[in-house]
Amino acid sequence: MKKYFGILVFVLMAVFSLGLVSCGDDDDDEGGGASGNGSIVGTWKGDFNMEIEDLYHIKELHTYDFYTFKSDGTYVSYFVTITKYTDEAKKEFGYKDETEFEEDERGTYKLNGNKITFYPTYSDEGDYEVETLEYKVSGNKLTFTSLSGIIVSITYSKSSESEIDKYRQ
């Protein structure tokens, strides 16, 4: 059962990371954002929820991707997975709803116009690939868009460290 869940989470991570493609650009923007772009500094939450029709006894799968950007040019990302099992699976197999929390990546970032480049110093997957994305901050929304030619866009909402803390165990 755990094997199939792990495969499902891996597939979801692969889909959501399609937008993370490397490009080389080391120019800096000082401050919090490009012309016409709000400040990226703060905590942001991506919300990827889905209802599943009895896939391996899972009723709902909620995944949250948090990024915290600090004004000193550092960032950290966290990944939260909440699995809700069917009542049948709970009764028959003793499954309990689960919340998994992990630090996904940390490192430094540089802004250049409407682009952000990530320089990871830690990755739970062991890859430290430099990645550049387009970004836009508008009000309480942060959107990352791939530069790979495949249009993948992920939008995050303004959040807080206290929201991340409620998932830490």
Side-chain angles (χ1 to χ4, degrees), residues 16 32 39 108 113 144 149:
F16 292 127
S39 176
T108 60
F144 291 131

Side-chain angles (χ1 to χ4, degrees), residues 86-158:
T86 62
D87 291 336
E88 177 185 292
K90 290 177 183 178
K91 185 177 178 182
E92 187 174 332
F93 302 111
Y95 292 167
K96 296 181 181 190
D97 294 343
E98 303 172 335
T99 299
E100 294 182 36
F101 176 89
E102 65 180 301
E103 182 177 327
D104 186 44
E105 188 175 276
R106 78 176 97 91
T108 60
Y109 69 94
K110 296 193 188 227
L111 304 176
N112 180 24
N114 67 338
K115 293 179 179 63
I116 182 168
T117 302
F118 294 91
Y119 300 91
T121 57
Y122 165 81
S123 170
D124 72 331
E125 295 179 10
D127 76 17
Y128 299 94
E129 190 172 316
V130 174
E131 300 168 321
T132 300
L133 304 171
E134 285 186 0
Y135 82 100
K136 180 176 182 179
V137 177
S138 179
N140 289 330
K141 300 288 182 195
L142 165 65
T143 303
F144 291 131
T145 304
S146 162
L147 296 174
S148 69
I150 300 170
I151 304 298
V152 177
S153 194
I154 301 173
T155 300
Y156 293 78
S157 300
K158 194 74 166 172

Side-chain angles (χ1 to χ4, degrees), residues 8-164:
L8 178 64
V9 170
F10 175 77
V11 169
L12 287 171
M13 290 292 291
V15 168
F16 292 127
S17 66
L18 282 175
L20 303 177
V21 177
S22 294
C23 292
D25 193 343
D26 290 82
D27 297 337
D28 278 339
D29 268 351
E30 296 299 322
S35 175
N37 228 349
S39 176
I40 198 167
V41 173
T43 298
W44 302 89
K45 176 185 177 183
D47 190 347
F48 312 104
N49 295 325
M50 63 181 83
E51 291 186 23
I52 301 170
E53 289 191 30
D54 198 24
L55 177 65
Y56 305 113
H57 304 289
I58 297 172
K59 174 172 60 175
E60 295 175 39
L61 184 64
H62 302 273
T63 58
Y64 303 109
D65 189 17
F66 289 93
Y67 276 90
T68 298
F69 296 97
K70 297 187 177 179
S71 60
D72 67 359
T74 60
Y75 76 94
V76 63
S77 70
Y78 303 98
F79 195 74
V80 176
T81 304
I82 300 171
T83 307
K84 295 189 177 186
Y85 292 99
T86 62
D87 291 336
E88 177 185 292
K90 290 177 183 178
K91 185 177 178 182
E92 187 174 332
F93 302 111
Y95 292 167
K96 296 181 181 190
D97 294 343
E98 303 172 335
T99 299
E100 294 182 36
F101 176 89
E102 65 180 301
E103 182 177 327
D104 186 44
E105 188 175 276
R106 78 176 97 91
T108 60
Y109 69 94
K110 296 193 188 227
L111 304 176
N112 180 24
N114 67 338
K115 293 179 179 63
I116 182 168
T117 302
F118 294 91
Y119 300 91
T121 57
Y122 165 81
S123 170
D124 72 331
E125 295 179 10
D127 76 17
Y128 299 94
E129 190 172 316
V130 174
E131 300 168 321
T132 300
L133 304 171
E134 285 186 0
Y135 82 100
K136 180 176 182 179
V137 177
S138 179
N140 289 330
K141 300 288 182 195
L142 165 65
T143 303
F144 291 131
T145 304
S146 162
L147 296 174
S148 69
I150 300 170
I151 304 298
V152 177
S153 194
I154 301 173
T155 300
Y156 293 78
S157 300
K158 194 74 166 172
S159 188
S160 67
E161 284 290 320
S162 63
E163 187 167 2
I164 295 172

